[in-house]
Structures are given as C-alpha cells and as structure tokens.
Amino acid sequence: MDLIATSIAWARSISNSVRVNNSCCSDYTKEYWQPPRVGWVKVNIDGSVPKHTSSAAVGGVIRVHKGNWLFGFGLRIDRSGIFQTEARALYEGLVVAWHERFRQIEVESDNPILIDVHILRGQNKVADCIAKMSNGDLNVKCYFVEPRKGVRNLLKN
C-alpha cells in the first residue's frame, strides 16, 4: 500500500467535509493555534523522525472551536522520511476523526509540502508534543481521552 496515495485518496473521498486551513496571510502569521469554524473540528497532526532511533512517530489532536480537547492519538511507526511520516499522521488523524463520527473536519500541519497552506510550528505545538511522546509498541495507536501531562500547558495557548 502506498501511504501517500492512500492519504490523498482518503482526503479526496471525503473532500466535501474536510477543509485544509486556507487562512489568509494575516491569519497565517498568528503564533498560536486558531480555532475551526463553529460546528467543525480541527485535527492538528505532526510526525517525528528522531535521528537516534530506528522508528518514527505520528501524533495529533482533535479540538472544537472553543479549543476543548476531544481526542489525541499517538503511534510509533517504522522509520521513513519526514514526508512519509507526516502523510501517515494525516491519514491516521483523518481515520480517528472519521471513526469518532466527525464529518466537518479542518486539518492543519506544519509541513508545507503535505498541505498547501501550512501553519507555523508554534500553532502545532500540541500535535508535535504528542508525536514526540509516542513511544509505545510499533504500529499500535494510542488514544488519549484526556490530554497527557506534558500537553496540558500547551493547550492554554
């Protein structure tokens, strides 16, 4: 299975209800997380490919327009390039959101190649932290109903 093709096919299949953050230039430069429209959820995703390990990790968070935590997820995966890792994070984020029956989904990533309009790293701190904390068994997705200890302070921004 080609992960990139699968991620793109998945996004296209639900394209009427998934929106990439098409912020205008002034929103793009905001330092902190920006909420989705009312009635939508935002999925922030990120990948991590540490130099000192034989694996990579993906993580993400799903929040509503008020910033409330709905779900987080983390997954340790086989090591691959950063683009493939970020594509896997996108795929896993959409799977989690869809599984939880969210149909109006906005996706954000700090990878400008993966998503046409990317966000600044500061706006993706929560997903970045979750990806870096994902150190469970290989290919076993962890769900976080409550934010992990290291993430709680980041949610305030």
Side-chain angles (χ1 to χ4, degrees):
M1 169 177 81
D2 180 22
L3 181 61
I4 296 170
T6 301
S7 297
I8 291 169
W10 178 285
R12 285 184 181 146
S13 73
I14 58 174
S15 64
N16 291 334
S17 58
V18 174
R19 144 179 119 95
V20 173
N21 186 2
N22 292 322
S23 304
C24 66
C25 292
S26 62
D27 285 342
Y28 173 80
T29 60
K30 289 183 180 176
E31 183 178 344
Y32 299 106
W33 181 84
Q34 299 298 307
R37 295 183 288 182
V38 175
W40 289 63
V41 296
K42 181 173 281 189
V43 179
N44 285 84
I45 52 104
D46 204 9
S48 176
V49 185
K51 292 180 182 178
H52 62 281
T53 67
S54 61
S55 62
V58 299
V61 61
I62 302 173
R63 295 194 267 178
V64 295
H65 72 280
K66 291 185 177 182
N68 300 30
W69 173 282
L70 295 178
F71 286 95
F73 69 92
L75 175 68
R76 193 166 65 94
I77 60 173
D78 290 324
R79 186 174 183 83
S80 59
I82 190 62
F83 185 79
Q84 290 82 3
T85 301
E86 298 263 351
R88 177 74 181 267
L90 171 62
Y91 173 78
E92 296 295 344
L94 290 173
V95 167
V96 169
W98 203 256
H99 180 264
E100 294 301 324
R101 302 198 187 287
F102 297 114
R103 298 300 183 256
Q104 296 194 51
I105 306 163
E106 185 176 317
V107 179
E108 283 189 339
S109 169
D110 58 10
N111 186 315
I113 297 170
L114 185 62
I115 295 182
D116 288 340
V117 179
H118 74 288
I119 59 173
L120 299 175
R121 186 165 293 276
Q123 293 173 283
N124 213 36
K125 291 185 281 190
V126 174
D128 181 61
C129 183
I130 292 171
K132 289 178 179 169
M133 291 175 13
S134 297
N135 56 6
D137 292 335
L138 196 63
N139 294 315
V140 175
K141 191 182 305 178
C142 298
Y143 288 92
F144 309 111
V145 177
E146 296 290 328
R148 294 180 77 175
K149 185 177 180 181
V151 172
R152 288 187 193 121
N153 287 336
L154 296 175
L155 289 170
K156 294 176 184 174
N157 294 329

